[in-house]
Amino acid sequence: MTRVYNFSAGPACLPEWVLNKASQEMLDAHSSGMSVMEMSHRSSEFENILNTAKDRLRRLMDIPEDYEILFLQGGASLQFSMVPMNLLKHSADIINTGQWTKKAIAEHKKLGDTHVVASSAEDNFTYIPKIKQEDLSPDSDYVYICENNTIYGTKYKTLPPHDGKLLVADMSSCILSEPVDVSQYDLIFAGAQKNIGPAGVTLVIIRKDLLTENEALPSMLNYKTYADNNSMYNTPPTYGIYVCGLVFEWLEEQIGGLEAMEKINHQKAALLYDYIDQSTLYSNPVAKEDRSYMNVPFVTGDKDLDAKFVKEAKEAGFVNIKGHRSVGGMRASIYNAMPVEGVEALVDFMKKFESENTKG
Ligand SMILES: *Cc1c(COP(=O)(O)O)cnc(C)c1O
């Protein structure tokens, strides 16, 4: 067996500890004589799996008791509609930082008054626009951000002002990468396939007082339905939730929590950025103060050389490192599950490629 270093932006690599544990439990999970995939979601075994996962996540992220943890389906993309369906009463203020906020803006516009309060589009989203309280619309219900921009490699290091308004954050590609003060937010959502587990699960963390009856809203699109039924109004993505629970267990017991995870993530990101910044071949276009710790785009400035890099990297066991088509070049996604050794090996490969492809 040879495992590659998988730098995919998502679905992304999972911790080997998690994959091993899942494989050990594949045929007989928790002495049930069956796989988690075969269990009734109404069984006490599965209920225990789901509640244990929620408890671990609450401890890991220090989620206050007045917030609900929900497991949904439909990906982060369904949240582009569910957020306005549940929270937009007057209008929404969205900061446009790339592909994922563009899609959120498009869905919001179908449902209500939507203001793009700032955008870094004119600079190909290479920075996070800084806004002031007075940039916000007087009647907006919430400020919506994408906290880590997976494609462009930018991240909010400080939150935008939002006095008197709710704050909604798409954390799909940075959740669990560092400690966060959940009480600063009113709704956090994330597709699982980057930093939480397999595709098919969407995590929502929402302040309980925002869960309201709404006769006009289809039940499956109302957060309250999920909250009232412990995320089991209908059959939840059982196996996916189980694997998410294993990732939470890995973070708690193998890594030692989110502060320890953050240290490792900063170490990995520094290895790449420090090398790229002193390199004569590679560059990263993002404003330094806004650089992501999870997604590191880089280019050589020559399309053919980029293609050669991607091809040779793959042959050397570094896969899925091609950049998104809107940015070009390369992108190394270095989520929680990417070990430090993977990033060290990639930097060694980049050095070798640089020396082979530059003169003098
Ligand atoms: C991947 C991603 C999405 C889309 O997620 P789906 O689960 O495919 O809908 C949305 N937002 C961000 C920040 C992402 O990285």
Side-chain angles (χ1 to χ4, degrees), residues 9 74-78 80 100 146 148-151 170-173 189 191-194 201-202 335:
S77 298
L78 183 59
F80 303 160
W100 299 119
C146 178
N148 183 80
N149 292 276
T150 325
I151 294 171
D170 176 355
M171 285 199 194
S172 295
S173 52
F189 70 85
Q193 68 272 23
K194 279 117 189 192
V201 181
T202 309
Y335 299 119

Side-chain angles (χ1 to χ4, degrees), residues 41-42 46-47 50 225-226 229-236:
H41 61 296
R42 305 288 175 204
F46 183 72
E47 208 172 344
L50 184 136
T225 306
Y226 295 84
N229 294 281
N230 197 24
S231 297
M232 291 199 279
Y233 171 72
N234 73 325
T235 317

Side-chain angles (χ1 to χ4, degrees), residues 184-352:
Q184 298 285 309
Y185 303 81
D186 298 283
L187 190 155
I188 292 168
F189 70 85
Q193 68 272 23
K194 279 117 189 192
N195 235 352
I196 311 176
V201 181
T202 309
L203 179 71
V204 170
I205 302 167
I206 182 172
R207 243 180 52 207
K208 283 180 181 166
D209 61 336
L210 297 173
L211 301 164
T212 51
E213 300 287 353
N214 184 342
E215 285 299 319
L217 208 54
S219 307
M220 288 291 287
L221 298 173
N222 189 339
Y223 294 121
K224 189 168 189 299
T225 306
Y226 295 84
D228 288 349
N229 294 281
N230 197 24
S231 297
M232 291 199 279
Y233 171 72
N234 73 325
T235 317
T238 50
Y239 197 77
I241 291 169
Y242 157 76
V243 178
C244 294
L246 293 181
V247 171
F248 302 154
E249 185 177 342
W250 173 76
L251 278 167
E252 262 198 317
E253 287 171 17
Q254 306 294 312
I255 298 296
L258 297 191
E259 263 152 47
M261 192 70 253
E262 178 183 42
K263 280 208 189 89
I264 298 169
N265 285 332
H266 284 192
Q267 184 193 349
K268 287 185 290 181
L271 280 169
L272 268 170
Y273 288 123
D274 289 350
Y275 173 61
I276 290 168
D277 287 343
Q278 61 76 53
S279 154
T280 53
L281 180 64
Y282 312 102
S283 64
N284 165 282
V286 174
K288 279 192 181 164
E289 70 273 17
D290 296 329
R291 282 173 167 180
S292 168
Y293 301 111
M294 295 284 102
N295 310 96
V296 182
F298 56 96
V299 294
T300 65
D302 172 341
K303 280 201 172 63
D304 295 336
L305 202 52
D306 287 348
K308 185 171 181 230
F309 182 99
V310 172
K311 181 171 169 285
E312 291 181 11
K314 186 173 180 196
E315 287 159 7
F318 306 99
V319 306
N320 291 321
I321 204 156
K322 191 170 190 286
H324 190 270
R325 58 193 178 279
S326 58
V327 177
M330 284 69 72
R331 169 178 49 170
S333 293
I334 49 173
Y335 299 119
N336 288 351
M338 174 57 65
V340 175
E341 306 84 76
V343 178
E344 285 170 344
L346 174 63
V347 171
D348 287 343
F349 173 83
M350 289 169 73
K351 285 179 183 163
K352 181 169 156 283

